């Protein structure tokens, strides 16, 4: 029986037998659908990627104001499309290790201050020019310049100087940083001709697809780059397309109807239902992502730490995890780090819902009147419902929350990091240093809580240069407690990424770094013959 099914599964992989007929024969032999699908998936993987065709994704997180400049990449659509056309120095593999791309190797001096990146030869930009160490240095220079408004500015501020030496790009830091290679995996640091200084919005890099369609807030398209340096691993489809579908119901309908092959941000409340839909596969992975409520610490009334503490204690995290994420995540503790990070301290007291204590802090703050909280469907799956549940739990502490539901188009450009109390999402970063440096160091462009503590900044720098892991872990623990008790971040939960693929999609490789295979779903996957 098993020999017959193995034989037939190879026929499916070669396109000589339909999946329906295979599963029908398996059922006739008394084999469960789960085992039959497992056998079929193994056969498809063994047969290797199927080349050609059009692969389409329906994604939330696109706005009419989006641009291709990687420095300004701030939502899911640009993130995913950037992985189609852009190429990085290094990338994060599913196991958390570094996958070397344009950088063939990265080595350091004994004091972790001077880093030498050997640039791989033979990689070509979409315009036909070779990728050189000069392009690498120019890219880092542009993102390290505050005028670029790059979201990577925070992690590059420790650079003292850069130079080219033959086929190497050499970076010297002001202070030691053992995590430097991981910083180069930041998705904003797409290597561009002359660093993108001439035209950062040209959409030219060295990724598997060349940009053919750029309609912000509507759709994006790419055609396979014939000279892509690792075409055996990425870029199997001839063409890829992203359709912006911010509405979750419309997005799921597009997948079920076959208009798209994959989608992001499946709402947790419908996961169990969708699992029963023929041809649709739910793709989940746990990681470092979290869904925060952000308060501006430099803006009244949130410049009062008693008020901030009241708002933290008035959150029922367990209820939010159960009703919004339906268990697809874990509770947060008001700092951006969880057990997925190296050097995480699991002995920090978990903050719990305490309406009586919240009421005490609220009274101490002296505030009266309602507090405006902004949310939107695009902030994260269930964000509007989460705001309403929070409104109810705050009421038990005598705190009045007024909710303003903002439209999806413009939320990331006009609300997030612009308004003093709003919901957001973060995908996490490879290391604690990068997470803190990107969003919580005082002068980071993406400091979306406006929490600015010179002492905290010094602790970040000290931790970077501390090569003793025990001492470094202690510093990170102290930072977490400081942020938890004084910062403007409320973290109800860390989320699982929940995506979905449609009929015939193969090659999906879950990656805890980010959604959609760390943004590479369109480049990694193919459609079975």
């Amino acid at each position: 029986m098993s020999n017959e099914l193995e034989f037939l599964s190879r026929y499916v992989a070669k396109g000589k037998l339909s999946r329906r007929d295979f599963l029908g024969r398996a059922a006739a032999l008394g084999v469960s659908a789960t085992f039959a699908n497992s056998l079929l998936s193994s056969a498809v993987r063994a047969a290797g990627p199927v080349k050609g065709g059009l692969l389409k994704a329906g994604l939330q997180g696109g706005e009419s104001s989006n641009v291709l400049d990687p420095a300004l990449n701030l939502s899911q659509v640009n993130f995913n499309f950037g992985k189609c056309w852009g190429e990085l120095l290094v990338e994060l593999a599913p196991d958390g290790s570094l996958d070397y791309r344009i950088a063939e190797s990265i080595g350091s001096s004994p004091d972790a201050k001077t880093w030498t990146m050997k640039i791989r030869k033979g990689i070509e930009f979409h315009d036909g020019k070779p990728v050189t160490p000069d392009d690498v240095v120019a890219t880092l220079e542009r993102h390290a310049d505050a005028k670029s408004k790059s979201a990577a500015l925070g992690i590059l501020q420790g650079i003292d100087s850069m130079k080219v030496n033959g086929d190497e790009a050499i970076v010297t830091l002001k202070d030691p940083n053992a995590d430097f290679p991981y910083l180069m995996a930041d998705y904003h640091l797409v290597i561009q001709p002359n660093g993108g200084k001439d035209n950062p919005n040209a959409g030219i890099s060295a990724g598997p697809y060349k940009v053919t369609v750029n309609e912000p807030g509507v759709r994006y398209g790419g055609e396979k780059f014939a000279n892509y340096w690792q075409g055996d691993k990425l870029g199997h489809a001839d063409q890829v397309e992203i359709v912006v579908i911010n509405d979750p119901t419309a997005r799921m309908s597009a997948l079920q109807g076959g208009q798209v092959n994959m989608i992001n941000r499946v709402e947790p409340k419908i996961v169990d239902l969708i699992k029963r839909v023929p041809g649709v596969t739910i793709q989940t992975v746990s990681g470092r992502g979290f869904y925060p409520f952000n308060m501006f610490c430099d803006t009244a009334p949130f410049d009062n730490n008693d008020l901030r503490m009241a708002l933290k204690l008035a959150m029922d995290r367990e209820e939010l995890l159960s009703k919004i994420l339906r268990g697809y995540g874990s509770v947060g503790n008001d700092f951006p780090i969880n057990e997925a990070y190296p050097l995480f301290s699991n002995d920090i007291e978990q903050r719990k819902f305490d309406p009586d204590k919240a009421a005490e802090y609220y009274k101490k703050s002296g505030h009266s009147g309602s507090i405006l909280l902004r949310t939107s469907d695009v902030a994260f799956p269930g964000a509007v419902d989460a705001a309403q549940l929070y409104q109810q739990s705050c009421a038990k502490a005598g705190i009045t929350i007024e909710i303003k539901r903002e439209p999806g188009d413009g939320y990331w450009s006009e609300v997030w990091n612009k308004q003093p109390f709003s919901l957001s999402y973060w995908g996490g970063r490879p290391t604690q240093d990068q997470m803190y440096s990107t969003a919580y160091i005082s002068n980071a462009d993406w400091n979306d809580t406006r929490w600015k503590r010179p002492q905290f900044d010094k602790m970040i720098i000290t931790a970077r240069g501390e090569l003793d892991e025990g001492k470094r872990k202690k510093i990170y623990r102290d930072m977490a407690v400081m942020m938890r008790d004084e910062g403007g971040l409320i973290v109800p939960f860390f989320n699982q990424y929940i995506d979905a693929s449609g009929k015939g999609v193969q090659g999906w490789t879950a990656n805890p770094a980010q959604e959609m295979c760390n943004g590479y779903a369109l480049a990694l996957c193919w459609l079975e013959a």
Side-chain angles (χ1 to χ4, degrees):
M1 177 179 68
S2 61
N3 288 339
E4 179 182 351
L5 284 181
E6 288 177 7
F7 175 78
L8 292 177
S9 68
R10 290 194 290 271
Y11 260 56
V12 176
K14 295 177 181 178
K16 296 180 179 180
L17 182 70
S18 71
R19 176 185 287 266
R20 180 186 295 273
D21 289 342
F22 172 81
L23 293 177
R25 180 56 182 160
L29 293 172
V31 175
S32 70
T34 301
F35 178 78
N37 275 308
S38 175
L39 189 64
L40 187 56
S41 296
S42 297
V44 170
R45 285 194 297 268
V50 175
K51 302 291 185 177
L54 168 65
L55 202 56
K56 296 179 68 174
L59 302 181
Q60 184 187 78
E63 301 177 310
S64 57
S65 58
N66 289 153
V67 294
L68 290 181
D69 182 358
L72 307 179
N73 184 338
L74 57 79
S75 59
Q76 301 97 316
V77 168
N78 275 6
F79 168 75
N80 282 278
F81 191 50
K83 295 296 181 82
C84 291
W85 66 266
E87 189 63 290
L88 302 170
L89 287 162
V90 296
E91 187 52 277
L92 285 178
D95 64 359
S97 64
L98 287 179
D99 176 15
Y100 287 86
R101 299 291 182 87
I102 288 177
E104 187 174 348
S105 64
I106 303 179
S108 77
S109 58
D111 62 359
K113 288 182 67 175
T114 300
W115 291 86
T116 301
M117 298 182 286
K118 184 178 180 181
I119 305 307
R120 197 182 302 272
K121 296 179 179 179
I123 299 181
E124 188 177 304
F125 284 122
H126 299 149
D127 61 3
K129 297 177 182 177
V131 177
T132 70
D134 291 287
D135 298 308
V136 171
V137 168
T139 295
L140 296 180
E141 286 176 344
R142 185 172 80 87
H143 287 269
D145 184 351
K147 295 178 182 178
S148 73
K149 296 190 178 300
S150 174
L153 174 64
I155 65 172
L156 299 180
Q157 290 179 344
I159 293 178
D160 184 51
S161 65
M162 292 178 276
K163 66 179 182 180
V164 171
N165 180 30
D167 60 356
E168 298 173 338
I170 301 175
V171 178
T172 300
L173 307 178
K174 299 173 185 175
D175 300 285
N177 189 345
D179 289 338
F180 177 80
Y182 287 91
L183 302 186
M184 297 300 98
D186 188 288
Y187 60 89
H188 301 93
L189 299 179
V190 170
I191 303 303
Q192 296 177 280
N194 194 30
K197 293 179 179 180
D198 302 319
N199 184 4
N201 289 302
I204 296 176
S205 183
Y209 291 96
K210 298 173 66 173
V211 176
T212 57
V213 179
N214 176 28
E215 299 177 14
V218 182
R219 70 187 185 103
Y220 299 83
E223 65 178 13
K224 187 180 176 94
F225 178 37
N227 294 337
Y228 181 55
W229 70 282
Q230 52 175 0
D232 57 327
K233 295 181 179 179
L234 296 171
H236 307 300
D238 288 335
Q239 294 177 298
V240 293
E241 182 177 346
I242 292 176
V243 182
V244 178
I245 311 177
N246 286 326
D247 181 78
T249 302
R251 199 161 58 251
M252 182 54 69
S253 296
L255 180 67
Q256 292 179 252
Q259 285 85 40
V260 298
N261 305 110
M262 57 186 69
I263 62 172
N264 68 343
R265 291 202 164 193
V266 177
E267 293 190 301
K269 64 184 179 182
I270 66 170
V271 168
D272 291 340
L273 177 64
I274 297 303
K275 284 181 177 179
R276 299 195 290 268
V277 176
V280 173
T281 302
I282 294 292
Q283 310 282 2
T284 64
V285 63
S286 298
R288 302 175 173 96
F290 61 98
Y291 297 149
F293 289 51
N294 293 325
M295 303 176 285
F296 282 4
C297 295
D298 63 354
T299 304
F302 311 104
D303 55 351
N304 185 317
N305 193 42
D306 289 325
L307 179 70
R308 298 199 298 270
M309 184 61 73
L311 292 171
K312 293 173 183 178
L313 290 166
M315 175 168 283
D316 191 336
R317 299 157 207 274
E318 295 290 350
E319 181 185 41
L320 284 166
L321 177 64
S322 173
K323 294 182 177 179
I324 301 301
L325 295 192
R326 304 298 173 105
Y328 287 96
S330 59
V331 293
N333 203 15
D334 299 340
F335 60 95
I337 306 300
N338 66 357
E339 66 278 358
Y341 283 90
L343 306 182
F344 172 76
S345 294
N346 59 7
D347 62 341
I348 299 174
E349 182 182 358
Q350 174 62 52
R351 178 161 289 141
K352 296 181 179 180
F353 177 48
D354 191 335
D356 293 333
K357 200 169 184 179
E360 291 178 14
Y361 275 100
Y362 184 64
K363 182 179 180 180
K364 187 179 177 182
S365 75
H367 183 268
S368 62
S370 63
I371 296 172
L372 180 61
L373 173 64
R374 299 172 192 268
T375 187
S376 173
D377 289 318
V378 303
F380 58 80
V384 174
D385 292 338
Q388 292 170 346
L389 283 175
Y390 182 56
Q391 181 184 50
Q392 294 167 18
S393 67
C394 281
K396 296 177 182 178
I399 303 172
T400 302
I401 298 293
E402 177 187 348
I403 297 173
K404 184 174 183 180
R405 185 173 182 173
E406 300 278 4
D409 191 9
Y411 188 77
W412 300 112
S413 57
E414 302 300 328
V415 178
W416 172 77
N417 213 12
K418 296 287 179 65
Q419 299 296 335
F421 195 23
S422 66
L423 276 64
S424 180
Y425 83 96
W426 273 94
R429 292 299 186 269
T431 66
Q432 293 198 42
D433 174 71
Q434 189 172 356
M435 186 68 246
Y436 285 127
S437 297
T438 300
Y440 305 107
I441 202 166
S442 293
N443 56 355
D445 195 55
W446 277 13
N447 185 344
D448 55 8
T449 62
R450 305 294 193 273
W451 189 57
K452 301 176 181 180
R453 284 290 303 274
Q455 182 185 355
F456 189 82
D457 298 345
K458 291 178 181 177
M459 293 168 76
I460 291 177
I461 295 171
T462 301
R464 283 177 191 165
E466 181 53 72
L467 302 182
D468 183 302
E469 287 196 352
K471 293 179 181 178
R472 198 177 192 199
K473 182 176 181 179
K474 173 64 167 56
I475 297 171
Y476 283 141
R477 186 190 187 284
D478 292 343
M479 289 167 59
V481 172
M482 182 185 292
M483 173 170 282
R484 172 184 178 273
D485 294 341
E486 301 176 22
L489 186 67
I490 307 177
V491 182
F493 37 48
F494 286 81
N495 61 287
Q496 290 186 19
Y497 297 111
I498 310 176
D499 307 311
S501 57
K503 182 179 179 181
V505 174
Q506 301 293 332
W508 192 281
T509 305
N511 190 320
Q514 285 277 9
E515 66 174 26
M516 300 290 286
C517 310
N518 192 22
Y520 286 101
L522 285 170
L524 273 170
C525 295
W526 65 89
L527 292 173
E528 64 183 9

